[in-house]
């Protein structure tokens, strides 16, 4: 036997075998649902970020998602018309629902069937087109966006497309596409919440009578809540645990989570009253059933898919979660940035637009950078779905970080507009967004859970090149094969970790310039790729040390897990920003947004790594990790103040940069609409600035001092009378003043708000009260 083989056999017996035995002990117990959740979906760019040496050329080679002509036409026409049919104030105070015309329109134009293939009567749109539509609808009204979003996300339509029987597809998909069927998917239980795998709803396989014949079916009981579209649905998707105590389907007594389609009018189905989620008037409510008998043919995919529901849900959730909430909250961010940027130019204090005050400037610039980053994440993640990926880890990153940053954007926007924002009324363009932003934080898995358990908990296993394979080797039944595979993987893992550790130390000592790049980066962003590579190596090494030292207890160390997940997420977001900059053709006017967004990601990633080291259970290991990663102290600083002014100037004036950043905003044509008024007022505010400057200079020069009306408030009237400005310039100022006063106007109501009529005709009253 060759020497190498003898050495390897010795290594396996004396080193690898004891480690394998210890690994089996520290490996945390994993339920079948946890296993399916971890293995669901695919691994994409996030695996490169976890490798310690991201292949940036691969990132640049990913195709840029684009709309087809048919998709672009739909966005330009049908989506515009759908937005025009909805008035947010009327929906949220009077109708408490979308108007009938809007419901009818979105059904007829197949908004509810965007993801259904054309062969079944749907639109067959790409994931990117789906994302574009939802983002735009969200800039108009949340009920409109959610009512379209849910049928195209996790639910009957998507599950049928992927898993339905030919009979189920041919019957249900055309009806869903045309709006003849309104779907809802009932997953969340009062007793399970975000722990969907723990649903208590159950069904038992049994015989019963169906359509006059005795058949094999199941008797199902459920109690669900928070079910979007449940109050108006005609077709209920239902998740429950299926049991077969009498062995009617085989030897397995507990079959597992199963998904079924149940018509609303099926005997025993109970749809409860609606919930009231923070004045967002999308239909949402509970549903119940007690021992409802249904045939096995109701199971999505037929009886053969009984017990496969959790895998189905996990695989589909990755795609749906990549699009729905990131798109809807990016819509809110774009609306906030566009309107508040204009407001900061229109609104003046101390004879100066408030956007020119450094305090406002700081907040508005943060809004712009966050919106740029969130939009970049939305586009790149939707593009991954179009490439055939089911990015389970990336979808969690997008869901958590985009909704959290959107919350920051809307909160910042409210700080800027102040009293205008806190008084609800038809002229308040931001109040409902502020009120409803927690909905996105809560649904599809609460954000605290997503950050603490899912992003790193799933990401560390799926993205790591060896961990999942080692876990699979440990679970092999054949001990010889298990040891052989584990030995090979373990020592490859040791080499991987050692290389990352050495690179981490070297980059900490000598800087990120030691990394060479294999792609032609823009000179202005080159350093960011090197910095991200450095942090990627630090994350990979720190994750290995953490998993090795903590073992199964890491599941309980949620703060450590959350911070390491934050690092992965910041690397992903920065990658998306750089990709977006390249995709947009390296537009120089976008550079301030890129610099601010990426530098903030780098600083936040560094902060998360340092907090991990500082709070490491083993203080000695934590200190060692810090010295290896940051031997000279911190390396990254928050973005400098100098970036704020150029960002704000772009947001406070019409232009291509502002239009690209807020490309999905619906811009109403009705001149009385508050968003339309802001757009008009911004144009006139800028046009009037030279005239105002001329008048101010005359005031400083004392031109008006000796006029008998010098103390008048309407100094412009005095200026035109004295021929200091023309009549046309005076009319320009008057128009600016009228639009400005409309923008800053706050609605008022009769004292008795108990009468619903108090909200009627409020616009007419407001128009009559204008200064």
């Amino acid at each position: 036997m060759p020497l190498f083989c003898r050495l390897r056999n010795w290594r396996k017996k004396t080193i690898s075998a004891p480690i394998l035995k210890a690994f089996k002990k520290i490996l945390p117990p994993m339920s079948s649902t946890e296993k399916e959740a971890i293995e669901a979906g695919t691994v994409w760019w996030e695996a490169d970020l976890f490798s310690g040496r991201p292949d940036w050329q691969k990132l640049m080679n990913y195709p840029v998602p684009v709309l087809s002509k048919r998709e672009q036409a739909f966005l330009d026409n049908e989506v515009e018309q759908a937005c025009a049919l909805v008035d947010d104030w009327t929906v949220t105070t009077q109708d408490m629902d979308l108007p009938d015309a809007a419901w009818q329109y979105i059904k007829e134009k197949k908004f509810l069937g965007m993801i259904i293939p054309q062969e079944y009567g749907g639109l067959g749109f790409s994931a990117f087109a789906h994302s574009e539509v939802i983002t735009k609808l969200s800039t108009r009204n949340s009920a409109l966006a959610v009512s379209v979003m849910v049928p195209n996300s996790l639910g009957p339509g998507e599950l049928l497309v992927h898993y339905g029987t030919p009979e189920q597809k041919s019957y249900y998909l055309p009806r869903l596409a045309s709006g003849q069927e309104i779907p809802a998917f009932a997953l969340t239980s009062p007793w399970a919440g975000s722990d969907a795998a723990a649903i208590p709803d159950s069904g038992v396989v049994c015989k019963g009578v169906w359509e006059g014949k005795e058949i094999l079916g199941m008797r199902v009981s459920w109690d669900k809540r928070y079910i979007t579209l449940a109050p108006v649905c005609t077709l209920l998707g239902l998740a429950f645990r299926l049991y077969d105590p009498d062995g009617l389907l085989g030897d397995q007594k507990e079959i597992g989570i199963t998904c079924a389609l149940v018509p609303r009018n099926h005997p025993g189905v109970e749809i409860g009253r609606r919930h009231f989620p923070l004045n967002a008037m999308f239909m949402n409510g509970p549903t119940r059933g007690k021992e409802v008998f249904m045939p096995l043919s109701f199971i999505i995919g037929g009886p053969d898919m009984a017990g496969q529901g959790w895998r189905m849900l996990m695989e589909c959730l990755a795609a749906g979660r990549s699009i729905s909430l990131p798109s809807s909250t990016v819509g809110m961010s774009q609306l906030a940035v566009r309107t508040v940027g204009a407001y900061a130019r229109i609104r003046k204090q101390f004879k100066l637009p408030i956007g020119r005050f450094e305090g406002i400037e700081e907040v508005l610039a943060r809004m712009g950078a966050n919106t740029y980053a969130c939009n970049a994440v939305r586009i790149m993640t939707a593009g991954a779905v179009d490439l055939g990926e089911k990015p389970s880890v990336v979808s969690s990153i997008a869901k958590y970080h985009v909704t959290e940053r959107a919350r920051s954007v809307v909160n910042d926007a409210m700080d800027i507009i102040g009293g205008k924002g806190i008084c609800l009324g038809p002229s308040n363009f931001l109040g409902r967004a502020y009120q409803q932003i927690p909905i996105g934080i809560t649904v599809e898995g609460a954000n605290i859970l997503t950050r603490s358990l899912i992003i790193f908990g799933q990401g560390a296993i799926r993205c790591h090149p060896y961990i999942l394979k080692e876990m699979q080797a440990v679970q092999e039944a054949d001990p010889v094969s298990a040891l052989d595979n584990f030995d090979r993987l373990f020592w490859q893992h040791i080499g991987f970790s050692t290389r990352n550790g050495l690179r981490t130390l070297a980059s900490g000592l000598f800087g990120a310039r030691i990394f060479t790049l294999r792609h032609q980066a823009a000179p202005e962003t080159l350093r960011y790729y090197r910095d991200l590579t450095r942090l990627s190596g630090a994350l990979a090494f720190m994750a290995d040390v953490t998993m090795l030292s903590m073992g199964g207890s890491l599941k309980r160390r949620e703060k450590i897990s959350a911070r390491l997940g934050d690092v992965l997420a910041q690397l992903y977001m920065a990658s998306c920003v750089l990709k977006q900059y390249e995709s947009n053709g390296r537009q120089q006017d976008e550079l301030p947004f890129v610099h601010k967004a990426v530098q903030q990601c780098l600083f936040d990633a560094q902060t998360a790594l340092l907090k991990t080291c500082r709070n490491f259970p083993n203080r000695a290991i934590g200190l060692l990790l810090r010295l290896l990663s940051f031997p000279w102290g911190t390396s990254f600083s928050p973005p400098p103040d100098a970036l704020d002014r150029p960002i704000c100037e772009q947001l406070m004036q019409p232009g291509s940069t502002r239009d690209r950043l807020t490309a999905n905003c619906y811009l109403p044509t009705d001149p009385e609409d508050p968003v339309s008024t802001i757009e008009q007022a911004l144009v006139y505010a800028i046009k009037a600035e030279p005239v105002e400057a001329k008048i101010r200079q005359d005031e400083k020069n004392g031109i008006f001092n000796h006029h008998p009306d010098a103390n008048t408030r309407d100094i412009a009237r005095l200026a035109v009378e004295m021929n200091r400005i023309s009549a046309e310039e005076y009319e320009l100022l008057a128009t600016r003043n009228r639009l400005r006063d409309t923008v800053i106007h706050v609605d008022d109501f009769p004292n008795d708000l108990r009468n619903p009529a108090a909200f009627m005709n409020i616009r007419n009253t407001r128009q009559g009260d204008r200064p």
Side-chain angles (χ1 to χ4, degrees), residues 37-193:
I38 286 175
E39 296 179 354
T42 58
V43 176
W44 188 54
W45 173 245
E46 67 273 31
D48 267 76
L49 294 175
F50 215 95
S51 70
R53 298 197 69 181
D55 183 352
W56 297 108
Q57 188 60 53
K58 180 194 294 186
L59 176 70
M60 295 306 144
N61 289 342
Y62 288 136
V64 179
V66 294
L67 298 176
S68 68
K69 290 183 179 180
R70 188 168 62 92
E71 292 168 340
Q72 186 66 60
F74 187 84
L75 196 69
D76 293 339
N77 297 288
E78 282 84 350
V79 176
E80 285 280 319
Q81 181 60 27
C83 289
L85 289 171
V86 176
D87 177 78
D88 192 67
W89 179 251
T90 304
V91 168
T92 56
T93 59
Q94 298 171 31
D95 296 343
M96 306 297 179
D97 188 10
L98 292 178
D100 292 340
W103 270 116
Q104 187 62 29
Y105 188 79
I106 63 177
K107 291 177 183 178
E108 288 179 357
K109 298 302 180 180
K110 301 184 178 181
F111 278 79
L112 308 186
M114 286 191 292
I115 66 169
I116 295 175
Q118 289 182 274
E119 64 191 273
Y120 293 106
L123 294 177
F125 279 177
S126 63
F128 179 57
H130 176 193
S131 175
E132 290 281 282
V133 171
I134 298 304
T135 305
K136 191 163 197 172
L137 295 178
S138 298
T139 68
R140 185 59 172 169
N141 174 258
S142 62
L144 177 63
V146 172
S147 298
V148 171
M149 177 177 79
V150 168
N152 291 287
S153 186
L154 177 64
E158 187 174 13
L159 293 171
L160 281 169
V161 167
H162 292 290
Y163 307 106
T165 64
E167 294 78 15
Q168 289 172 338
K169 289 180 179 180
S170 61
Y171 179 76
Y172 279 119
L173 289 179
R175 296 166 67 87
L176 288 167
S178 67
Q180 188 176 351
E181 300 278 8
I182 302 294
F185 191 76
L187 175 61
T188 308
S189 162
W191 299 277

Side-chain angles (χ1 to χ4, degrees), residues 531-561:
D531 289 336
L532 291 171
T533 299
R534 173 187 173 183
L535 290 175
S536 171
L539 170 64
F541 180 67
M542 199 171 293
D544 272 335
V545 173
T546 301
M547 289 186 284
L548 178 63
S549 63
M550 296 187 190
S553 68
L554 183 57
K555 288 178 68 173
R556 299 186 299 274
R557 300 281 186 176
E558 295 178 22
K559 294 176 184 177
I560 298 291
S561 178

Side-chain angles (χ1 to χ4, degrees), residues 197-459:
I199 54 175
D201 313 286
S202 62
V204 177
V205 178
C206 62
K207 291 183 178 181
V209 177
W210 171 251
E211 296 182 340
K213 297 180 182 178
E214 185 179 66
I215 64 166
L216 189 61
M218 49 193 174
R219 201 167 296 279
V220 185
S221 297
W222 71 92
D223 187 354
K224 306 284 192 179
R225 68 180 178 188
Y226 308 143
I227 310 306
T228 302
L229 297 186
V232 295
C233 78
T234 62
L235 185 63
L236 185 66
L238 189 63
F240 57 93
R241 291 187 178 277
L242 185 61
Y243 298 89
D244 186 14
D246 298 327
L248 297 176
L249 294 180
D251 297 333
Q252 192 173 359
K253 304 296 184 183
E254 183 176 348
I255 296 176
I257 295 177
T258 300
C259 295
L261 287 179
V262 189
R264 175 180 179 145
N265 60 5
H266 184 75
V269 174
E270 178 186 347
I271 301 294
R273 301 189 300 173
R274 66 185 291 188
H275 300 314
F276 196 45
L278 293 177
N279 275 12
M281 294 304 165
F282 61 86
M283 288 294 176
N284 185 278
T287 174
R288 305 175 189 87
K290 187 171 180 61
E291 296 189 355
V292 177
F293 182 78
M294 56 188 74
L296 294 177
S297 60
F298 278 19
I299 297 174
I300 298 176
D304 290 342
M305 294 301 288
Q308 301 299 309
W310 189 242
R311 177 177 62 84
M312 294 159 59
L313 294 173
M314 289 297 100
E315 289 178 351
C316 287
L317 182 62
R321 192 165 52 191
S322 297
I323 297 167
S324 56
L325 289 171
S327 301
S328 61
T329 49
V330 163
M332 288 185 180
S333 297
Q334 288 191 15
L335 175 67
V337 163
R338 190 174 185 96
T339 54
V340 174
Y343 186 90
R345 185 71 173 267
I346 297 163
R347 185 76 162 107
K348 290 187 175 182
Q349 297 283 348
F350 309 107
K351 298 182 179 182
L352 191 68
I354 63 172
R356 299 273 163 72
F357 290 99
E358 288 194 352
I360 301 291
E361 182 181 274
E362 178 182 16
V363 176
L364 185 57
R366 184 168 63 222
M367 290 173 59
N370 276 334
T371 301
Y372 189 97
C374 290
N375 199 43
V377 170
R378 175 187 71 87
I379 292 172
M380 182 161 153
T381 308
V385 177
D386 281 330
L387 292 175
E389 301 290 341
K390 295 180 179 179
S392 55
V393 178
V394 160
S395 69
S396 297
I397 291 173
K399 190 272 177 183
Y400 173 80
H401 285 274
V402 172
T403 57
E404 288 293 340
R405 289 199 181 211
R407 170 154 58 181
S408 173
V409 169
V410 174
N411 283 343
D412 283 342
M414 290 291 284
D415 283 351
I416 291 175
I417 64 175
K420 170 73 177 179
I422 64 171
C423 293
L424 283 176
S427 68
N428 189 329
F429 49 85
L430 203 60
R432 293 303 189 198
Y434 175 77
Q435 190 174 24
Q436 296 160 13
I437 199 73
I439 297 173
I441 305 298
T442 303
V443 300
E444 289 192 12
N447 272 9
I448 292 176
L449 172 85
T450 303
R451 175 177 179 262
S452 299
L453 297 176
I454 296 177
I455 294 177
F456 183 76
Q458 188 175 27

